[in-house]
Amino acid sequence: MAFPEGFLWGGAIAANQYEGAWLEDGKQPNVTDVVVGIMSHDLGIAWNDETGKYEMALDPNKAYLSHTAVDGYHRYRDDLKLMAGMGFNSFRTSIAWGRIFPNGDEEEPNEAGLAYYDDMFACMRELGMEPVITMSHYETPLHLLTEYGGWSNPKLIEFWYRYAKTCFERFGDKVKYWLTFNEVNALFRMPFVAGGVLTIDNPADVTDPVGSTTMQDQWDAYHNFLVANAQTVKLAHEINPDLKVGCMLTCSGVATYPNNCNPANIRVAMEAQRNNVFYFGDPFCLGIVPTYLKRRWREEGVTVEFTDDELFLIKENTVDFFSFSYYRSTVVDAGVNLGGDTSGLTGIDNPFLVDKAPEPWKWPVDPDGLRYTLNVLYDRYHLPLLIVENGVGLDENLDENGTIQDDFRVHYIEEHIKNVSRAIDDGVDCRGYLYWGPIDVVSAGTGEMKKRYGFVYVDRFNDGHGTLERAIKQSYYRYKEIIESNGAGLE
Ligand code: BGP
């Protein structure tokens, strides 16, 4: 079960769930700063009749834990040492866009934000970790939504371009691997955070800005993301041909199984893959805007038109690699009302999956689904694949010895990593496994601290109290062994 030489072993977090310091050193709010849980429709913004605009209006009765998160902003050096202690040769985090361009539309970047990430990336390198950097992990500056309507407005392409150029020029000597938009294919499930869209011209219902975002605005955002992504790839290669740009998609939806062999269900499963993953994967990796979208656009009554120049740009500037998250699989049939959360798509229960994460989240555990996903993606795109999220969230407390015996997490990673090895044996070019949440962070989906993924525990709780001290869980030692043996220890 040995892994290829140079396989990237590590973990992944995101600025907005880890750093806190939400208004420090010039940073302004991003979209995740005004939600408690990214699926929420209850936004900390309100419509102002006088200005005819939305503005930030946080609910004083809510705990926005991400504002302090686990104080990574001030503790990253010590935390990175803990990661290096497991033998990580790679680490993924994001740049909070709003630290570099606080409102998103400034001409000049914020030097304090640049200096902060300079030091963080240098620290990763000193510790022997290859940085894998997400340029926006649901971190569009809030001002770009309230002022411009967000990604449905082509002006965002301009603002993004300036931000991307600043990042590549400033950090290009330390960061080789760049991911553009985290899980951008969750656009329709989470238009506000994943899509960065807000309908500001005559919104249908100002009290539910998420629900009242129009389909046309969401598809306009799709259009703009495709153009921005291609421009980013082009720009990175022009600045430094050694830079590698990848897309980052949630790929739990690849493992969408038909409920049975009824041909209607096979088709529904195929459409679920297209509508949830490939509709972004195909343009990003194959350089085409898929023809299967035409029927969907017609049925949804929207107009999506690309110019010839845009189509050429998209064709010529496909990504260098494909990165993705995988947490679960799902089952569909023609009658299912396919839902979703941060785990991916939620359809029908799969009776063959006996393994489930414990209460209260109970996400089905399907390690074979990861092998299947890797194979499907490699067959379709023939690009190097990088797993940048896979993990399990558990409700955990320190025991009397000041640690946590997290056997379920150990079981989870062992089974998933075994299936990565099997996929490589199938011929898939998988370059790395970055576990989601190697240190406890604020949950994206629920906005809680209670949902912990870490190998390292952080003393902070849902009501906001806690010392923020770190403690080692038992999975830390097991992951270290796996990395030390380059996977051979899994036999
Ligand atoms: C992914 C997100 C992450 C993350 C993870 C786990 O969808 O990219 O930000 O947190 O899901 O989800 P959760 O935190 O809701 O358990």
Side-chain angles (χ1 to χ4, degrees), residues 17 137-138 182-183 327 342 363 389 436 443-445 451 453:
Q17 292 168 259
H137 192 117
Y138 310 139
N182 182 69
E183 298 189 338
Y327 291 94
T342 44
W363 288 358
E389 285 189 31
W436 173 258
S443 159
K451 191 175 189 191
Y453 285 77

Side-chain angles (χ1 to χ4, degrees), residues 206-326:
V206 289
T207 59
D208 179 10
V210 179
S212 69
T213 296
T214 67
M215 286 316 289
Q216 184 62 53
D217 278 348
Q218 293 176 35
W219 280 109
D220 287 343
Y222 171 79
H223 180 161
N224 294 330
F225 277 127
L226 263 45
V227 174
N229 190 78
Q231 283 191 354
T232 310
V233 175
K234 185 166 188 274
L235 176 69
H237 294 166
E238 280 165 3
I239 291 178
N240 179 350
D242 288 339
L243 299 186
K244 303 286 179 204
V245 180
C247 56
M248 192 302 187
L249 302 183
T250 159
C251 282
S252 302
V254 172
T256 300
Y257 310 138
N259 197 13
N260 53 38
C261 52
N262 180 340
N265 296 339
I266 308 288
R267 183 180 48 77
V268 168
M270 179 190 71
E271 286 179 353
Q273 289 181 321
R274 285 174 167 180
N275 286 334
N276 291 288
V277 183
F278 301 149
Y279 77 118
F280 267 106
D282 292 352
F284 285 167
C285 302
L286 304 175
I288 54 158
V289 180
T291 48
Y292 53 74
L293 286 177
K294 288 191 179 156
R295 182 163 63 87
R296 192 166 160 197
W297 293 339
R298 202 173 54 242
E299 286 169 1
E300 291 179 12
V302 296
T303 310
V304 189
E305 277 166 6
F306 289 83
T307 64
D308 287 347
D309 285 350
E310 287 172 340
L311 291 173
F312 184 73
L313 179 84
I314 290 165
K315 179 145 196 49
E316 291 297 299
N317 297 285
T318 51
V319 293
D320 299 307
F321 65 98
F322 186 106
S323 82
F324 68 99
S325 58
Y326 172 82

Side-chain angles (χ1 to χ4, degrees), residues 69-369:
V70 294
D71 195 33
Y73 192 72
H74 303 107
R75 296 169 193 243
Y76 62 94
R77 287 196 146 256
D78 288 339
D79 289 340
L80 287 171
K81 282 185 197 142
L82 287 170
M83 301 301 122
M86 277 180 277
F88 281 18
N89 61 11
S90 180
F91 192 73
R92 171 184 177 225
T93 187
S94 63
I95 295 176
W97 182 354
R99 291 203 192 284
I100 311 298
F101 288 94
N103 283 318
D105 58 357
E106 295 86 350
E107 293 282 335
E108 296 300 325
N110 171 28
E111 179 54 36
L114 292 169
Y116 170 71
Y117 289 109
D118 259 342
D119 188 64
M120 183 190 280
F121 302 152
C123 181
M124 286 184 202
R125 286 245 166 254
E126 281 160 29
L127 292 166
M129 291 186 268
E130 180 79 52
V132 173
I133 302 304
T134 318
M135 299 171 73
S136 176
H137 192 117
Y138 310 139
E139 283 149 345
T140 309
L142 181 64
H143 175 76
L144 295 184
L145 279 78
T146 53
E147 188 64 29
Y148 300 94
W151 275 100
S152 54
N153 187 333
K155 267 188 176 304
L156 270 268
I157 303 176
E158 232 178 87
F159 301 140
W160 170 266
Y161 191 84
R162 195 177 302 153
Y163 166 57
K165 188 163 185 287
T166 306
C167 289
F168 297 149
E169 286 175 349
R170 179 73 174 237
F171 306 125
D173 58 335
K174 300 190 190 79
V175 179
K176 180 174 171 190
Y177 296 108
W178 295 91
L179 314 182
T180 47
F181 313 102
N182 182 69
E183 298 189 338
V184 65
N185 55 324
L187 159 63
F188 295 103
R189 264 192 285 141
M190 298 185 270
F192 185 71
V193 289
V197 187
L198 188 62
T199 294
I200 54 172
D201 298 328
N202 306 313
D205 174 3
V206 289
T207 59
D208 179 10
V210 179
S212 69
T213 296
T214 67
M215 286 316 289
Q216 184 62 53
D217 278 348
Q218 293 176 35
W219 280 109
D220 287 343
Y222 171 79
H223 180 161
N224 294 330
F225 277 127
L226 263 45
V227 174
N229 190 78
Q231 283 191 354
T232 310
V233 175
K234 185 166 188 274
L235 176 69
H237 294 166
E238 280 165 3
I239 291 178
N240 179 350
D242 288 339
L243 299 186
K244 303 286 179 204
V245 180
C247 56
M248 192 302 187
L249 302 183
T250 159
C251 282
S252 302
V254 172
T256 300
Y257 310 138
N259 197 13
N260 53 38
C261 52
N262 180 340
N265 296 339
I266 308 288
R267 183 180 48 77
V268 168
M270 179 190 71
E271 286 179 353
Q273 289 181 321
R274 285 174 167 180
N275 286 334
N276 291 288
V277 183
F278 301 149
Y279 77 118
F280 267 106
D282 292 352
F284 285 167
C285 302
L286 304 175
I288 54 158
V289 180
T291 48
Y292 53 74
L293 286 177
K294 288 191 179 156
R295 182 163 63 87
R296 192 166 160 197
W297 293 339
R298 202 173 54 242
E299 286 169 1
E300 291 179 12
V302 296
T303 310
V304 189
E305 277 166 6
F306 289 83
T307 64
D308 287 347
D309 285 350
E310 287 172 340
L311 291 173
F312 184 73
L313 179 84
I314 290 165
K315 179 145 196 49
E316 291 297 299
N317 297 285
T318 51
V319 293
D320 299 307
F321 65 98
F322 186 106
S323 82
F324 68 99
S325 58
Y326 172 82
Y327 291 94
R328 59 172 297 166
S329 57
T330 194
V331 177
V332 292
D333 68 18
V336 76
N337 189 4
L338 198 54
D341 55 27
T342 44
S343 67
L345 301 177
T346 52
I348 302 166
D349 272 352
N350 187 336
F352 298 98
L353 298 182
V354 283
D355 223 1
K356 273 202 175 29
E359 299 273 358
W361 301 289
K362 298 192 295 183
W363 288 358
V365 177
D366 180 11
D368 294 274

Side-chain angles (χ1 to χ4, degrees), residues 391-405:
V392 60
L394 305 170
D395 181 5
E396 304 170 304
N397 290 296
L398 291 179
D399 62 21
E400 62 284 2
N401 302 316
T403 185
I404 292 168
Q405 195 68 45

